Amino acid sequence: MDRISELPDALLFEILSYLPTREVVTTMVLSKRWKYLYTFVPTLEYDHNSYPDGEDRSFSRFVYSSLLLHEAPVLQVLSFVLGQNTGSIDIGVCVRTAIKRHARHLNIEIDDTCSAETINPVILPTSLYTGCTMLVSLGLDNVVLMDSSSTVSFPSLKILGLLSVKYPNNEFVPKIFAGCPVLENLFVDRCPGDNVNLFVVRVPTLKILLLQKVLDIHADGFLIDAPCLELMGINVNTKGFCGIEHNMPKIDAASMCVTCNRTEQILSSLTSLQQLRLCLMTSKVTFKCFFSFKRPIIPTKLLFTHVSYVGCIS
């Protein structure tokens, strides 16, 4: 027997967690020692890109069979990257697996070729809002959220990524955040036609916020109420309302590239900054104003790059 096979199961699970799920499953043929190990690995990551074009059925069979055989009581990571050729994957099965296996980190991503702009958008079941109570991080990309009469409940969620997500209406966004009592990191990349005019971020526990909406989408805007915020990056081009409801006394660094009208109000809420990268523009007049900061601004390069939620849960 090789030395690796002599290692304890817990260590082998840890090693296998760093491999793609497709390769992990192939270890079952190595020996009797390895035959069932893959079914207890606490990481499952499915990427349709690992299958050549035209192998939709093969990918679907692999996903369903490995989910069915998997026996780990808790999944640390459950990730699905689906594309236009994987429409046969039932997204409800993905969510039910996350609930049943008490997933800690869940990622559901639909490639741009299969975005919410298509005829058959990927609609997430409402069970996601109430069943995934153990989630620590959640990443959603190019999906549609359904309205629900039940209360959204993510009691353990600390990291949330909402990229190109479509919502039922304006009111549903605050409803999501209200169901995240310990949320600390929020990454939002809005898309055209997301059904939200004013994007309200009212999260008392939030520490990091990255909000992006490059396109000028009608009169859409944002309102932020996050008194515990420490780090903020905003890149928004809009004709709508932009504002910060209350001062953020704990904020240390901010990067802002904003085209809107209430620039003076936004700046006056950032009085505890140590680092600032600023690009403010209005359609009417050039903005000129001076603000005194409680602490001196450090002249360093503060660059906020696009942060993928996939990176947040890996």
Side-chain angles (χ1 to χ4, degrees), residues 7-22:
L7 295 174
D9 288 355
L11 185 54
L12 289 177
F13 294 153
E14 180 69 19
I15 295 173
L16 292 175
S17 295
Y18 291 96
L19 298 177
T21 297
R22 189 179 183 184

Side-chain angles (χ1 to χ4, degrees), residues 77-124:
V77 176
L78 179 60
S79 177
F80 299 91
V81 179
L82 309 177
Q84 191 173 18
N85 296 325
T86 53
S88 59
I89 299 293
D90 185 352
I91 204 70
V93 172
C94 304
V95 174
R96 287 196 295 273
T97 300
I99 297 173
K100 183 179 179 181
R101 299 299 180 187
H102 308 290
R104 300 294 195 265
H105 307 279
L106 174 63
N107 171 51
I108 300 177
E109 176 184 350
I110 309 301
D111 273 3
D112 291 339
T113 53
C114 184
S115 68
E117 292 289 307
T118 60
I119 297 177
N120 297 310
V122 176
I123 302 175
L124 299 184

Side-chain angles (χ1 to χ4, degrees), residues 21 35 51 78 143 186 248 277 301 308:
T21 297
K35 188 173 182 180
Y51 278 74
L78 179 60
V143 297
L186 175 62
M248 295 179 288
R277 180 176 181 267
K301 293 182 179 179
S308 170

Side-chain angles (χ1 to χ4, degrees), residues 208-281:
I208 298 176
L209 169 64
L210 296 184
L211 174 61
Q212 178 166 298
K213 188 193 69 172
V214 178
L215 298 177
D216 188 353
I217 310 173
H218 303 298
D220 295 357
F222 66 85
L223 176 64
I224 298 172
D225 183 9
C228 290
L229 208 61
E230 299 175 1
L231 181 65
M232 179 172 67
I234 297 180
N235 184 3
V236 173
N237 177 19
T238 179
K239 296 178 182 178
F241 173 88
C242 298
I244 296 176
E245 196 163 272
H246 294 103
N247 288 346
M248 295 179 288
K250 296 183 179 181
I251 194 163
D252 286 328
S255 174
M256 301 189 66
C257 185
V258 180
T259 304
C260 65
N261 288 324
R262 290 169 53 90
T263 51
E264 181 176 354
Q265 186 275 334
I266 293 174
L267 275 180
S268 65
S269 302
L270 308 177
T271 54
S272 66
L273 281 174
Q274 292 192 67
Q275 301 180 36
L276 175 65
R277 180 176 181 267
L278 187 64
C279 175
L280 297 179
M281 297 169 288

Side-chain angles (χ1 to χ4, degrees), residues 46-73:
Y46 301 100
D47 188 344
H48 78 104
N49 292 305
S50 63
Y51 278 74
D53 292 340
E55 293 192 21
D56 176 28
R57 292 183 178 179
S58 297
F59 176 70
S60 300
R61 284 197 297 269
F62 170 69
V63 172
Y64 287 135
S65 60
S66 58
L67 286 178
L68 180 64
L69 295 173
H70 203 268
E71 298 184 27

